[in-house]
Amino acid sequence: MEWTVIGGGPAGIAAVGKLIDAGVDPAKIGWIDPHFQVGDLGKKWSQVPGNTKVELFNRYFEHCQAFAFKSRPKKFKMEEIDPNETCLLQYVVEPLQWVTDHLRKKVHAKEEMALELFLEKGGWEIKLQKGSIFSKNVILAIGSDPKALFHPGPETIGLEVALDPNKLQKAIQSNDTVAVFGSSHSAVLVLAKLLETPVKKVINFYRSPIRYAVHLKDWILYDDTGLKGFTAQWSKKYLDGELPPRLERMLANDPAFEESLSTCTKAIYAVGFERRKLPILKQYEHLHYDDKTGIIAPGLFGIGIAFPRGKFSPLGHLEYSVGLWKFMDQLNLMLPFWQKYANA
Ligand SMILES: Cc1cc2nc3c(=O)[nH]c(=O)nc-3n(C[C@H](O)[C@H](O)[C@H](O)COP(=O)(O)OP(=O)(O)OC[C@H]3O[C@@H](n4cnc5c(N)ncnc54)[C@H](O)[C@@H]3O)c2cc1C
């Protein structure tokens, strides 16, 4: 293979599409994912309300020629939603699955896990569960997992359960006191959904003030860290307004933290994401990616939530860009560099 993309989430889909747009012969592109079901977005987050406008999702689909979005057999539900509104992520998963199925027919797709990468003969040997592939260049789009904290005592509810209202309803009993850690988009969503269950009490342990995104003429202040849409409205009304009767908030370094936590029967950690374990790279002890270019090593590049681009806002804040359109935009910028930095 000339190029192989590891990961079939939104970033991997964009990477395959943009390689084809850049003139790489699809017959020389490999694509590896164990499921090809739109990554974590498809498997875990489809019931999550998005925080970006539908217009940005439309831009993602229409921007890449290889997606052939114009040839879709019918309009997707997402396209019936006002582009200035946000939507449940499931509406984005449907067209992403269609694009995945379309691209899989063009390239060499393998339903497998990449287990190991080995640099040799000016390229990468990718060890799979069954056999291996040699590829001159590799793009890692392997995604991230919710960060795991652990406090002994309360039973942990996984974030993928907490962010799915049906699963959450089943996981909560009326005698539960639930600890929710964090104050980001995911944490606020969890708080709002928990209070729709018969939960007895919710305690939100947090470290810093809520931050809100501000839409300006040409850019968004706190675009990647601030609350937007539903979570911003909810938070202004309840967290920074009047706390609902069953909700308590406490700083995580409050002297009463241990005592309060000991009253909790369940805990949900919504404290960010961390890069999923890389396929093993034998030659390198430390592996860093350049957060401005996505370059990891010769012929090895990273994209998506696992390798977000560090970007300065016009006021000088460094934020890490995550989101479908941002992945596409990063590829526009980075792929020309990657092609020059590629293994010969
Ligand atoms: C609460 C929440 C709200 C969000 N809201 C928005 C929003 O409003 N707008 C927006 O644009 N996005 C939103 N997102 C989605 C966001 O863009 C995600 O970060 C996105 O799913 C990341 O895509 P990815 O392709 O980088 O990773 P993933 O979707 O995690 O895909 C990674 C893929 O790589 C595969 N993989 C991993 N390791 C290997 C291996 N060794 N071999 C083979 N395959 C491997 C995995 O199986 C998976 O299929 C939201 C996400 C969350 C959690």
Side-chain angles (χ1 to χ4, degrees):
M1 293 296 134
E2 205 171 302
W3 288 82
T4 296
V5 177
I6 301 181
I13 297 168
V16 171
K18 293 302 287 183
L19 282 170
I20 299 174
D21 280 9
V24 180
D25 179 354
K28 294 181 179 169
I29 298 176
W31 194 13
I32 305 169
D33 186 279
H35 309 290
F36 288 106
Q37 288 172 2
V38 191
D40 283 14
L41 197 63
K43 287 178 67 137
K44 296 181 181 168
W45 315 127
S46 65
Q47 295 310 307
V48 174
N51 56 3
T52 51
K53 290 181 182 168
V54 169
E55 190 264 324
L56 287 179
F57 296 134
N58 291 334
R59 232 194 269 180
Y60 170 98
F61 288 109
E62 286 160 11
H63 183 79
C64 179
Q65 298 295 314
F67 286 179
F69 204 59
K70 286 199 175 88
S71 71
R72 64 201 180 281
K74 62 178 172 63
K75 283 204 165 189
F76 295 102
K77 279 187 197 142
M78 182 194 75
E79 296 171 82
E80 289 162 15
I81 301 170
D82 180 344
N84 287 311
E85 295 296 323
T86 55
C87 69
L88 267 192
L89 293 178
Q90 74 177 30
Y91 295 115
V92 192
V93 172
E94 193 192 6
L96 280 167
Q97 187 64 61
W98 181 82
V99 171
T100 301
D101 298 341
H102 165 74
L103 289 178
R104 275 184 75 175
K105 290 183 204 138
K106 295 185 162 204
V107 300
H108 287 276
K110 282 208 172 274
E111 246 177 72
E112 283 237 37
M113 279 296 280
L115 302 178
E116 208 171 290
L117 288 180
F118 197 78
L119 180 61
E120 64 172 8
K121 295 181 193 149
W124 295 90
E125 187 77 25
I126 308 168
K127 197 173 164 220
L128 306 172
Q129 285 151 323
K130 291 180 222 132
S132 61
I133 298 179
F134 180 80
S135 185
K136 283 184 182 164
N137 304 287
V138 175
I139 299 176
L140 295 174
I142 56 176
S144 293
D145 285 319
K147 268 188 196 151
L149 288 181
F150 177 71
H151 288 284
E155 176 195 331
T156 301
I157 297 179
L159 195 59
E160 65 266 32
V161 172
L163 284 175
D164 183 324
N166 288 329
K167 291 183 184 162
L168 187 65
Q169 283 283 349
K170 287 184 191 140
I172 299 296
Q173 274 83 50
S174 56
N175 57 353
D176 276 328
T177 294
V178 182
V180 177
F181 289 79
S183 54
S184 63
H185 179 68
S186 317
V188 175
L189 278 176
V190 170
L191 293 174
K193 292 297 162 197
L194 264 176
L195 293 173
E196 291 172 14
T197 72
V199 70
K200 186 171 144 203
K201 189 174 167 187
V202 180
I203 308 180
N204 177 212
F205 296 106
Y206 68 101
R207 287 184 186 280
S208 37
I210 300 277
R211 190 171 262 192
Y212 297 98
V214 182
H215 290 257
L216 300 162
K217 196 164 161 253
D218 302 324
W219 62 287
I220 301 173
L221 177 67
Y222 304 138
D223 190 12
D224 290 287
T225 50
L227 299 188
K228 298 173 185 161
F230 168 78
T231 52
Q233 283 168 14
W234 196 91
S235 170
K236 281 181 185 166
K237 186 167 178 191
Y238 295 113
L239 300 183
D240 289 334
E242 196 171 336
L243 282 183
R246 290 179 294 159
L247 178 59
E248 188 183 313
R249 298 195 85 209
M250 179 176 277
L251 272 168
N253 64 357
D254 192 294
F257 170 78
E258 293 291 347
E259 193 185 335
S260 287
L261 186 63
S262 70
T263 65
C264 297
T265 49
K266 292 182 175 145
I268 297 167
Y269 300 102
V271 290
F273 289 80
E274 63 192 350
R275 184 183 311 139
R276 198 163 272 138
K277 218 164 158 267
L278 287 169
I280 299 161
L281 285 134
K282 283 210 172 134
Q283 286 103 329
Y284 301 109
E285 190 181 343
H286 300 292
L287 204 76
H288 301 289
Y289 80 107
D290 174 350
D291 70 5
K292 302 293 180 292
T293 64
I295 292 170
I296 303 171
L300 186 65
F301 311 95
I303 188 81
I305 191 173
F307 302 96
R309 179 171 171 228
K311 201 177 162 194
F312 289 101
S313 79
L315 292 184
H317 310 97
L318 178 62
E319 291 205 303
Y320 287 91
S321 305
V322 172
L324 268 64
W325 169 248
K326 288 172 183 167
F327 301 153
M328 189 65 88
D329 203 29
Q330 283 162 31
L331 284 161
N332 284 333
L333 184 79
M334 293 172 178
L335 200 53
F337 294 122
W338 293 1
Q339 287 183 293
K340 285 192 190 299
Y341 206 76
N343 279 312

